[in-house]
């Protein structure tokens, strides 16, 4: 799986219907390990994508878009 194509899909078309957003922030401990802390604040500056449809569905869409040949 590649997140580059996913990022472009979401940047152009938005999150829905493929994903939802989980708001929160990353916590980094003194050893450099990180964890995610959820937040109910939708104005939180950090979020990550949560699959709303099966990965295979998004994969098929991205493959279709990549293979598009303009006329």
């Amino acid at each position: 799986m590649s997140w580059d194509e996913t990022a472009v899909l979401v940047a152009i078309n938005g999150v829905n219907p493929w994903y939802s957003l989980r708001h929160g922030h990353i916590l980094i401990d003194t050893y450099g390990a990180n964890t995610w802390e959820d937040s109910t604040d939708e104005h939180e500056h950090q979020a990550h994508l949560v699959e709303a449809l099966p990965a295979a569905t998004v994969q098929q869409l991205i493959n279709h878009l990549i293979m598009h040949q303009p006329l």
Side-chain angles (χ1 to χ4, degrees):
M1 293 176 30
S2 174
W3 289 108
D4 293 343
E5 291 86 353
T6 302
V8 171
L9 175 69
V10 170
I12 293 171
N13 294 306
V15 173
N16 294 317
W18 308 284
Y19 300 95
S20 63
L21 289 178
R22 180 173 291 164
H23 295 277
H25 53 272
I26 295 173
L27 299 173
I28 301 173
D29 69 20
T30 55
Y31 299 103
N34 63 69
T35 56
W36 182 261
E37 184 172 277
D38 287 334
S39 172
T40 57
D41 181 4
E42 291 189 9
H43 295 95
E44 185 82 46
H45 294 289
Q46 297 177 17
H48 69 88
L49 298 174
V50 177
E51 291 179 342
L53 294 176
T57 301
V58 178
Q59 178 185 6
Q60 289 172 352
L61 171 63
I62 290 172
N63 286 340
H64 173 75
L65 293 170
I66 289 172
M67 300 301 291
H68 174 72
Q69 293 289 321
L71 299 175

